[in-house]
PDB file of all heavy atoms in Angstrom:
ATOM      1  N   HIS A  32     -12.089 -85.532  -3.027  1.00  0.00           N
ATOM      2  CA  HIS A  32     -13.288 -84.696  -3.207  1.00  0.00           C
ATOM      3  C   HIS A  32     -13.709 -84.561  -4.667  1.00  0.00           C
ATOM      4  O   HIS A  32     -12.878 -84.376  -5.552  1.00  0.00           O
ATOM      5  CB  HIS A  32     -13.062 -83.288  -2.646  1.00  0.00           C
ATOM      6  CG  HIS A  32     -14.119 -82.324  -3.116  1.00  0.00           C
ATOM      7  ND1 HIS A  32     -15.398 -82.347  -2.613  1.00  0.00           N
ATOM      8  CD2 HIS A  32     -14.107 -81.365  -4.077  1.00  0.00           C
ATOM      9  CE1 HIS A  32     -16.122 -81.422  -3.242  1.00  0.00           C
ATOM     10  NE2 HIS A  32     -15.365 -80.814  -4.129  1.00  0.00           N
ATOM     11  N   ARG A  33     -14.986 -84.622  -4.876  1.00  0.00           N
ATOM     12  CA  ARG A  33     -15.590 -84.219  -6.151  1.00  0.00           C
ATOM     13  C   ARG A  33     -16.925 -83.578  -5.813  1.00  0.00           C
ATOM     14  O   ARG A  33     -17.526 -83.894  -4.787  1.00  0.00           O
ATOM     15  CB  ARG A  33     -15.759 -85.423  -7.079  1.00  0.00           C
ATOM     16  CG  ARG A  33     -16.602 -86.524  -6.462  1.00  0.00           C
ATOM     17  CD  ARG A  33     -16.189 -87.869  -6.999  1.00  0.00           C
ATOM     18  NE  ARG A  33     -14.914 -88.271  -6.439  1.00  0.00           N
ATOM     19  CZ  ARG A  33     -14.182 -89.298  -6.878  1.00  0.00           C
ATOM     20  NH1 ARG A  33     -14.590 -90.010  -7.904  1.00  0.00           N
ATOM     21  NH2 ARG A  33     -13.046 -89.607  -6.303  1.00  0.00           N
ATOM     22  N   SER A  34     -17.373 -82.651  -6.646  1.00  0.00           N
ATOM     23  CA  SER A  34     -18.649 -81.980  -6.401  1.00  0.00           C
ATOM     24  C   SER A  34     -19.768 -82.884  -6.894  1.00  0.00           C
ATOM     25  O   SER A  34     -19.761 -83.297  -8.055  1.00  0.00           O
ATOM     26  CB  SER A  34     -18.678 -80.631  -7.123  1.00  0.00           C
ATOM     27  OG  SER A  34     -17.779 -79.748  -6.483  1.00  0.00           O
ATOM     28  N   VAL A  35     -20.725 -83.169  -6.019  1.00  0.00           N
ATOM     29  CA  VAL A  35     -21.795 -84.124  -6.323  1.00  0.00           C
ATOM     30  C   VAL A  35     -23.112 -83.382  -6.487  1.00  0.00           C
ATOM     31  O   VAL A  35     -23.590 -82.724  -5.564  1.00  0.00           O
ATOM     32  CB  VAL A  35     -21.897 -85.187  -5.202  1.00  0.00           C
ATOM     33  CG1 VAL A  35     -23.110 -86.091  -5.422  1.00  0.00           C
ATOM     34  CG2 VAL A  35     -20.615 -86.011  -5.141  1.00  0.00           C
ATOM     35  N   ARG A  36     -23.685 -83.480  -7.688  1.00  0.00           N
ATOM     36  CA  ARG A  36     -24.957 -82.813  -8.001  1.00  0.00           C
ATOM     37  C   ARG A  36     -26.056 -83.813  -8.325  1.00  0.00           C
ATOM     38  O   ARG A  36     -27.190 -83.419  -8.615  1.00  0.00           O
ATOM     39  CB  ARG A  36     -24.772 -81.856  -9.186  1.00  0.00           C
ATOM     40  CG  ARG A  36     -23.826 -80.696  -8.910  1.00  0.00           C
ATOM     41  CD  ARG A  36     -23.666 -79.812 -10.155  1.00  0.00           C
ATOM     42  NE  ARG A  36     -22.754 -78.692  -9.917  1.00  0.00           N
ATOM     43  CZ  ARG A  36     -21.428 -78.766  -9.991  1.00  0.00           C
ATOM     44  NH1 ARG A  36     -20.838 -79.917 -10.302  1.00  0.00           N
ATOM     45  NH2 ARG A  36     -20.679 -77.695  -9.760  1.00  0.00           N
ATOM     46  N   ALA A  37     -25.740 -85.109  -8.295  1.00  0.00           N
ATOM     47  CA  ALA A  37     -26.746 -86.146  -8.582  1.00  0.00           C
ATOM     48  C   ALA A  37     -26.798 -87.090  -7.389  1.00  0.00           C
ATOM     49  O   ALA A  37     -25.772 -87.651  -6.997  1.00  0.00           O
ATOM     50  CB  ALA A  37     -26.362 -86.915  -9.849  1.00  0.00           C
ATOM     51  N   TYR A  38     -27.993 -87.204  -6.798  1.00  0.00           N
ATOM     52  CA  TYR A  38     -28.115 -87.917  -5.526  1.00  0.00           C
ATOM     53  C   TYR A  38     -28.970 -89.171  -5.669  1.00  0.00           C
ATOM     54  O   TYR A  38     -29.887 -89.222  -6.488  1.00  0.00           O
ATOM     55  CB  TYR A  38     -28.724 -86.989  -4.467  1.00  0.00           C
ATOM     56  CG  TYR A  38     -28.029 -85.652  -4.434  1.00  0.00           C
ATOM     57  CD1 TYR A  38     -28.580 -84.534  -5.064  1.00  0.00           C
ATOM     58  CD2 TYR A  38     -26.771 -85.522  -3.848  1.00  0.00           C
ATOM     59  CE1 TYR A  38     -27.904 -83.318  -5.089  1.00  0.00           C
ATOM     60  CE2 TYR A  38     -26.093 -84.306  -3.874  1.00  0.00           C
ATOM     61  CZ  TYR A  38     -26.664 -83.211  -4.502  1.00  0.00           C
ATOM     62  OH  TYR A  38     -25.990 -82.018  -4.545  1.00  0.00           O
ATOM     63  N   SER A  39     -28.694 -90.155  -4.822  1.00  0.00           N
ATOM     64  CA  SER A  39     -29.551 -91.343  -4.740  1.00  0.00           C
ATOM     65  C   SER A  39     -30.798 -90.982  -3.931  1.00  0.00           C
ATOM     66  O   SER A  39     -30.906 -89.876  -3.401  1.00  0.00           O
ATOM     67  CB  SER A  39     -28.797 -92.486  -4.058  1.00  0.00           C
ATOM     68  OG  SER A  39     -28.762 -92.262  -2.664  1.00  0.00           O
ATOM     69  N   ASN A  40     -31.724 -91.909  -3.808  1.00  0.00           N
ATOM     70  CA  ASN A  40     -32.943 -91.632  -3.033  1.00  0.00           C
ATOM     71  C   ASN A  40     -32.755 -91.849  -1.531  1.00  0.00           C
ATOM     72  O   ASN A  40     -33.672 -91.588  -0.749  1.00  0.00           O
ATOM     73  CB  ASN A  40     -34.087 -92.525  -3.526  1.00  0.00           C
ATOM     74  CG  ASN A  40     -34.522 -92.107  -4.919  1.00  0.00           C
ATOM     75  OD1 ASN A  40     -34.498 -90.924  -5.251  1.00  0.00           O
ATOM     76  ND2 ASN A  40     -34.885 -93.087  -5.746  1.00  0.00           N
ATOM     77  N   GLU A  41     -31.578 -92.316  -1.155  1.00  0.00           N
ATOM     78  CA  GLU A  41     -31.330 -92.615   0.265  1.00  0.00           C
ATOM     79  C   GLU A  41     -31.312 -91.315   1.081  1.00  0.00           C
ATOM     80  O   GLU A  41     -30.657 -90.344   0.691  1.00  0.00           O
ATOM     81  CB  GLU A  41     -29.956 -93.298   0.371  1.00  0.00           C
ATOM     82  CG  GLU A  41     -29.825 -94.302   1.481  1.00  0.00           C
ATOM     83  CD  GLU A  41     -28.391 -94.873   1.487  1.00  0.00           C
ATOM     84  OE1 GLU A  41     -27.748 -94.895   0.431  1.00  0.00           O
ATOM     85  OE2 GLU A  41     -27.938 -95.260   2.561  1.00  0.00           O
ATOM     86  N   PRO A  42     -32.009 -91.279   2.219  1.00  0.00           N
ATOM     87  CA  PRO A  42     -31.987 -90.051   3.032  1.00  0.00           C
ATOM     88  C   PRO A  42     -30.645 -89.862   3.738  1.00  0.00           C
ATOM     89  O   PRO A  42     -29.880 -90.814   3.896  1.00  0.00           O
ATOM     90  CB  PRO A  42     -33.102 -90.286   4.060  1.00  0.00           C
ATOM     91  CG  PRO A  42     -33.231 -91.772   4.166  1.00  0.00           C
ATOM     92  CD  PRO A  42     -32.854 -92.334   2.817  1.00  0.00           C
ATOM     93  N   VAL A  43     -30.382 -88.653   4.148  1.00  0.00           N
ATOM     94  CA  VAL A  43     -29.211 -88.371   4.990  1.00  0.00           C
ATOM     95  C   VAL A  43     -29.470 -89.035   6.344  1.00  0.00           C
ATOM     96  O   VAL A  43     -30.532 -88.826   6.939  1.00  0.00           O
ATOM     97  CB  VAL A  43     -29.021 -86.845   5.153  1.00  0.00           C
ATOM     98  CG1 VAL A  43     -27.907 -86.534   6.137  1.00  0.00           C
ATOM     99  CG2 VAL A  43     -28.741 -86.203   3.786  1.00  0.00           C
ATOM    100  N   PRO A  44     -28.537 -89.857   6.843  1.00  0.00           N
ATOM    101  CA  PRO A  44     -28.840 -90.608   8.066  1.00  0.00           C
ATOM    102  C   PRO A  44     -29.014 -89.701   9.288  1.00  0.00           C
ATOM    103  O   PRO A  44     -28.386 -88.642   9.383  1.00  0.00           O
ATOM    104  CB  PRO A  44     -27.640 -91.537   8.237  1.00  0.00           C
ATOM    105  CG  PRO A  44     -26.550 -90.938   7.427  1.00  0.00           C
ATOM    106  CD  PRO A  44     -27.195 -90.169   6.317  1.00  0.00           C
TER     107      PRO A  44
END
Side-chain angles (χ1 to χ4, degrees):
Chain A
H32 166 74
R33 58 209 73 192
S34 290
V35 173
R36 296 178 180 83
Y38 311 100
S39 77
N40 291 325
E41 212 181 333
V43 174

